Amino acid sequence: MMIVFVVLAIVAVVVLLWLWAIAPQLPRADFSAFQKYDYAHRGLHDKEKGVPENSLKAFDLAVRGCFGMEFDLQLTKDGQVVVHHDLTISRTCGVDRNICDMTYEELSGYRLFGTEERVPLFTEVLKLVDGRTPLIIELKSYTRQEELCQKTVELLKGYQGLYCVESFDPRIVRWFRQHQPQVVRGQLMCRMPEENMTRLQDFIGRNMLTNFFTRPHFEAYDFHTRRNPSLRAARRVFGMQEVSWTLRSLEDYRVAKGEGCLCIFEKFLPPESCARKKFTFADLLADSKAAAVCLRSAEAKGKESHS
């Protein structure tokens, strides 16, 4: 009988340690304002219609559709914070160069997917959105992680809109815990987020065992690998907010939405926006083009009045 008690005690200790390791920041952050929106992955983009991912046009369409948006930050060689997902511009611009090896002036000479759109500055995106819709800001850890964190915070000073930050890199999430604890932060996770990870690192990461180090407010988990005991336990025991990425079908969207997840989507439009009206991608694109024409006309009239 004593052996049984010892085994049960050991199991209880292990379970308590596991729960301590995966727990989010407590008390929980208030996500009620974030939950009013769905989030366009890298902006509301469609390459076939001439709207590249992580472009000013994609972010403009997200605002017009009354969607929140998710996008990625990294640093150029000269320390400019730009919005781009990949380490290189090979996929997006057809040139095999790393962004961290180029100055912003050099980077500005390339265009995204053969359009007129270029890699935007973070400041340009903030100016365009102007607080009209919430932002999920992912910080990439390709290089100079602390510098990226510091500059991101500096550029967000005075910004009046709703935003949160996230990263696959626990060191970045930890930095925000230590230096900007009031900012809502999230841990991104999936299976093997980095190609050079060991199996042990993958196990620790996907089972959220770095949460004791980062204490994120939310877990942004790959929707297709989310059936994970640690994620389930963190939600049920601690009420952790889950963010689901990247939803590419209405069926997946409805499952995630029904379970209270914040939804990051692409390749379709959720059935309702905060505007509560039906529209198509073409409608938003036409609206954007019409607004651009009006702006150019107003600028031309302004120049005439000053001449």
Side-chain angles (χ1 to χ4, degrees), residues 42 53 74 84-89 91-92 99 142:
R42 306 177 194 170
E53 65 184 59
Q74 58 179 295
H84 193 268
H85 179 270
D86 301 358
L87 172 66
T88 79
I89 57 171
R91 180 179 65 88
T92 55
I99 288 178
Y142 298 134

Side-chain angles (χ1 to χ4, degrees), residues 35-216:
Q35 289 167 343
K36 295 176 182 177
Y37 293 82
D38 297 316
Y39 296 81
H41 185 232
R42 306 177 194 170
L44 195 61
H45 63 90
D46 188 330
K47 185 172 64 174
E48 304 305 317
K49 292 181 172 63
V51 184
E53 65 184 59
N54 278 332
S55 67
L56 291 179
K57 184 177 287 188
F59 301 135
D60 175 59
L61 294 186
V63 172
R64 292 180 185 280
C66 211
F67 298 114
M69 62 191 76
E70 178 270 353
F71 55 79
D72 314 275
L73 300 184
Q74 58 179 295
L75 290 171
T76 60
K77 183 179 180 180
D78 55 343
Q80 296 295 311
V81 182
V82 297
V83 181
H84 193 268
H85 179 270
D86 301 358
L87 172 66
T88 79
I89 57 171
S90 176
R91 180 179 65 88
T92 55
C93 302
V95 179
D96 191 15
R97 298 187 67 184
N98 292 348
I99 288 178
C100 60
D101 295 330
M102 289 185 284
T103 65
Y104 180 66
E105 183 178 1
E106 291 177 293
L107 180 61
S108 297
Y110 298 101
R111 295 295 180 265
L112 295 168
F113 296 105
T115 68
E116 291 301 310
E117 295 290 312
R118 54 177 174 74
V119 176
L121 289 165
F122 182 37
T123 52
E124 292 178 304
V125 177
L126 293 179
K127 183 178 179 180
L128 183 152
V129 177
D130 194 27
R132 292 176 290 170
T133 194
L135 311 176
I136 299 178
I137 303 168
E138 179 184 347
L139 282 75
K140 292 297 187 182
S141 61
Y142 298 134
T143 184
R144 295 143 53 204
Q145 294 88 3
E146 186 166 348
E147 180 184 346
L148 177 60
C149 291
Q150 291 171 340
K151 288 187 171 179
T152 298
V153 169
E154 187 64 30
L155 294 174
L156 283 165
K157 282 184 178 178
Y159 183 71
Q160 298 301 310
L162 184 65
Y163 67 88
C164 61
V165 298
E166 63 178 12
S167 181
F168 279 107
D169 192 330
R171 295 170 298 177
I172 289 177
V173 185
R174 170 74 172 183
W175 187 94
F176 277 89
R177 179 189 180 190
Q178 292 180 316
H179 299 282
Q180 295 290 319
Q182 77 284 1
V183 174
V184 175
R185 60 186 180 272
Q187 180 66 57
L188 270 161
M189 193 44 59
C190 64
R191 289 183 181 274
M192 295 295 287
E194 302 291 341
E195 293 181 1
N196 59 350
M197 290 183 74
T198 65
R199 289 187 177 181
L200 177 60
Q201 289 172 323
D202 174 50
F203 178 84
I204 291 172
R206 62 185 164 85
N207 285 288
M208 300 163 47
L209 297 176
T210 61
N211 281 7
F212 78 94
F213 179 70
T214 60
R215 291 297 178 226

